[in-house]
Structures are given as C-alpha cells and as structure tokens.
C-alpha cells in the first residue's frame, strides 16, 4: 500500500510542479513521471538539508519541491 501512496503523491506533485513552474510542460504524462521521480529527489534534498517532513502534506511538499527542482534541471539541460 505504501507504493500506491508514493505514486499518488508523486503524480499530484508532478501536476502541481507543472502548474507552479508555468513553463511549457511535458504534458500530463510527462509531468506525472517527473513528479514521481521528483519525489525521490525531494526526499534526498530534504534529508541532505536535515529537513523533516511528516504526514500527507509534508510528503506532498517534499515531492513538489523535488519535482520543481527536477523540472528546472531538465529545462536547463534542454
């Protein structure tokens, strides 16, 4: 069940990151994949900085921050 929530939160974070960055997104599917990968990036960054996030909202914030960073990196590399 943990993986299902991970995918749902990652997908929501990808959608939210696509809206926040207001760039020329990667479409719905691309933004969802970036959100799922971004949740891993966000978790890594938060652990690196010593930031603790708990609960559903904390997970969503972590995943969204990671997705925004990942979208920014992808757009810079393009």
């Amino acid at each position: 069940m943990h993986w299902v929530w991970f995918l749902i939160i990652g997908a929501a974070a990808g959608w939210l990151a696509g809206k926040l960055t207001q760039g020329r997104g990667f479409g719905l599917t691309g933004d969802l994949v970036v959100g799922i990968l971004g949740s891993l990036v966000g978790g890594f960054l938060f652990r690196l900085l010593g930031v603790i996030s708990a609960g559903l909202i904390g997970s969503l914030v972590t995943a969204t921050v990671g997705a925004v960073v990942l979208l920014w990196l992808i757009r810079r590399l393009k």
Side-chain angles (χ1 to χ4, degrees), residues 39-65:
S39 64
L40 296 172
V41 171
F44 172 76
L45 289 175
F46 274 37
R47 274 192 302 271
L48 190 66
L49 296 173
V51 177
I52 298 171
S53 62
L56 181 64
I57 301 298
S59 297
L60 185 59
V61 168
T62 302
T64 303
V65 168

Side-chain angles (χ1 to χ4, degrees), residues 19-33:
K19 295 297 181 189
L20 288 174
T21 57
Q22 295 181 356
R24 204 188 98 219
F26 296 106
L28 181 62
T29 305
D31 284 346
L32 295 180
V33 170

